[in-house]
Amino acid sequence: MNKKLLFNFLAVVMLASLILSACGSAPTEAPAAPAETEAPAATEAPAATEAPVTAGLACAPNCQYSDLVIGFLQTGSEGGWRAANTASFKETAEQLGLTLKFYDSQNDLAKQVAGFHQFIQDPEVNVIVLAALETTGWEEVLQEAKDAGKIVVIEDRRIDAPETLYSTYIGSDFALEGRKAAEEMCKLLEGSESKKVWELVGNVGSSAAKDRGQGFREGMTACGIEIVNSQTGNWSATEGKQVTEAWLKESKDVQGIFAQNDEMGFGAIEALKEAGLVPGVDVKILSVDATAGAFKAMLAGELNVTVECNPLLAPQVYEAALNAANGEELPAWVPSQEGVFRSDDPNLQEITDGRTY
Ligand code: AHR
């Protein structure tokens, strides 16, 4: 009898331990790979182990605009476009009731990076908005911002950094603007035997300058435009004028000027007039931005075309910041909608009257 009891007890213990080991232990072998698994392509998206760009703020999923304290790193104040961009951020912040801390980088990259660090260390700031002076050199600060739990939104100028380090980029397709500019210059120089063009370049390290230049070069081959001079005017009317004056001293054999922004176009117009040439007639002038000043110059017949670059980005940027705060995943890039305006537009006066920047 005792033997039988002992046998039964041992049998129960063995059965129980078998069941437990089957339920709790890890499989001893890795599962076989599916027969048709393909090796990942070299260009594949970042590893899935990377933490999501924004896990949202503590207020998620009910964050309101009043919960946002935004540190905005502006490039500087180089002209009408930038003034409109800055005003858009300040006015919209007031309308929405969010707190804006504004930092003027004064077109100095070292200052902009210092400002970035300042916002990372500021415990009140939960969102950083960057209008980058240069495309490169951002990875380290972006990683620091991410580690500190800050949301980063890139506005206006795209950067060369992994998309996993920021929430989204809201801004123009600068390469498209360059291609549109080339297409318009081709039309302006149609029938001209010689198609020599001078290019006034923006700040050379910026995405706006690089991509507009590249887009223009892609488009200009369609009609045989030749860029014979290309130099930076740093987005400024004064420098645009100085560069054009220096070129005019060497030669007046030029049929078109492609100014990468309106301000440099205004400088070129002044230089041409002082050299006894008629801007818009003797030399076709094309610029980018479509600010109120460009419309006035077109009404005066001195500027032929302006390609639009939209500076009123704050409503989209703030909305994106709020969505990121609430833990939403955002598209890597939201391009702005933009047009082209020509001096022979029959509605030019009306458009000019409605232009607020
Ligand atoms: O990034 C946009 C460019 O920056 C504008 O075309 C120029 O005017 C500004 O400074």
Side-chain angles (χ1 to χ4, degrees):
M1 184 70 174
N2 275 349
K3 260 188 185 174
K4 198 177 174 190
L5 266 176
L6 183 65
F7 177 80
N8 284 346
F9 174 74
L10 284 174
V12 168
V13 168
M14 278 172 70
L15 188 65
S17 83
L18 266 175
I19 291 167
L20 279 174
S21 73
C23 294
S25 69
T28 48
E29 271 182 34
E36 306 236 340
T37 304
E38 274 180 28
T43 53
E44 199 139 302
T49 50
E50 185 72 51
V53 181
T54 54
L57 299 178
C59 49
N62 296 312
C63 298
Q64 309 294 315
Y65 281 118
S66 55
D67 293 311
L68 302 185
V69 180
I70 299 196
F72 176 34
L73 295 151
Q74 182 56 289
T75 57
S77 50
E78 60 267 24
W81 191 98
R82 193 58 55 189
N85 185 246
T86 295
S88 170
F89 276 86
K90 290 187 176 172
E91 286 162 14
T92 313
E94 267 193 45
Q95 285 158 15
L96 297 176
L98 60 83
T99 305
L100 180 69
K101 296 195 180 191
F102 183 82
Y103 182 94
D104 179 359
S105 309
Q106 295 167 36
N107 284 303
D108 180 332
L109 185 61
K111 285 198 176 115
Q112 191 164 52
V113 174
F116 208 130
H117 280 122
Q118 196 176 299
F119 284 147
I120 291 172
Q121 279 147 24
D122 185 335
E124 286 181 4
V125 169
N126 47 26
V127 178
I128 298 173
V129 174
L130 172 69
L133 280 164
E134 308 263 331
T135 50
T136 54
W138 294 108
E139 290 188 29
E140 211 174 295
V141 276
L142 286 172
Q143 187 63 56
E144 278 174 40
K146 187 175 176 178
D147 294 344
K150 314 267 174 175
I151 288 164
V152 176
V153 177
I154 309 297
E155 81 106 17
D156 169 26
R157 307 263 180 89
R158 70 161 183 85
I159 54 169
D160 293 327
E163 285 160 12
T164 50
L165 293 179
Y166 56 90
S167 290
T168 186
Y169 160 52
I170 291 169
S172 308
D173 186 337
F174 296 126
L176 178 63
E177 290 173 353
R179 288 195 294 276
K180 284 182 192 169
E183 199 184 319
E184 293 296 321
M185 189 61 92
C186 281
K187 286 185 203 157
L188 291 170
L189 299 185
E190 206 178 340
S192 169
E193 241 175 69
S194 178
K195 293 179 183 180
K196 293 195 178 74
V197 166
W198 294 349
E199 180 189 37
L200 287 165
V201 181
N203 175 329
V204 286
S206 68
S207 56
K210 287 181 183 178
D211 298 354
R212 282 176 191 162
Q214 183 211 316
F216 191 84
R217 279 160 184 74
E218 280 165 18
M220 73 183 198
T221 54
C223 70
I225 286 172
E226 193 191 350
I227 296 180
V228 292
N229 277 322
S230 174
Q231 197 180 312
T232 186
N234 280 315
W235 305 121
S236 111
T238 313
E239 284 188 57
K241 185 178 178 207
Q242 286 164 354
V243 172
T244 312
E245 278 169 349
W247 286 336
L248 284 166
K249 278 183 193 144
E250 283 169 21
S251 167
K252 289 186 180 170
D253 182 13
V254 56
Q255 289 72 51
I257 293 182
F258 166 42
Q260 288 191 355
N261 78 341
D262 288 344
E263 302 293 325
M264 295 187 292
F266 304 152
I269 287 169
E270 285 312 305
L272 288 168
K273 287 204 276 194
E274 285 174 20
L277 294 167
V278 184
V281 179
D282 294 335
V283 184
K284 306 293 185 190
I285 317 281
L286 184 150
S287 61
V288 183
D289 278 353
T291 53
F295 284 95
K296 282 185 199 127
M298 285 200 292
L299 282 171
E302 295 177 337
L303 178 74
N304 302 89
V305 173
T306 185
V307 172
E308 189 177 31
C309 179
N310 180 10
L312 308 179
L313 302 174
Q316 274 177 284
V317 170
Y318 290 151
E319 193 185 353
L322 183 65
N323 291 339
N326 279 319
E328 267 181 47
E329 221 178 279
L330 305 177
W333 178 23
V334 182
S336 345
Q337 296 294 312
E338 294 164 347
V340 171
F341 301 95
R342 304 175 185 90
S343 58
D344 58 5
D345 191 320
N347 302 317
L348 196 61
Q349 184 65 60
E350 205 184 316
I351 305 168
T352 308
D353 294 343
R355 206 64 171 176
T356 54
Y357 57 88

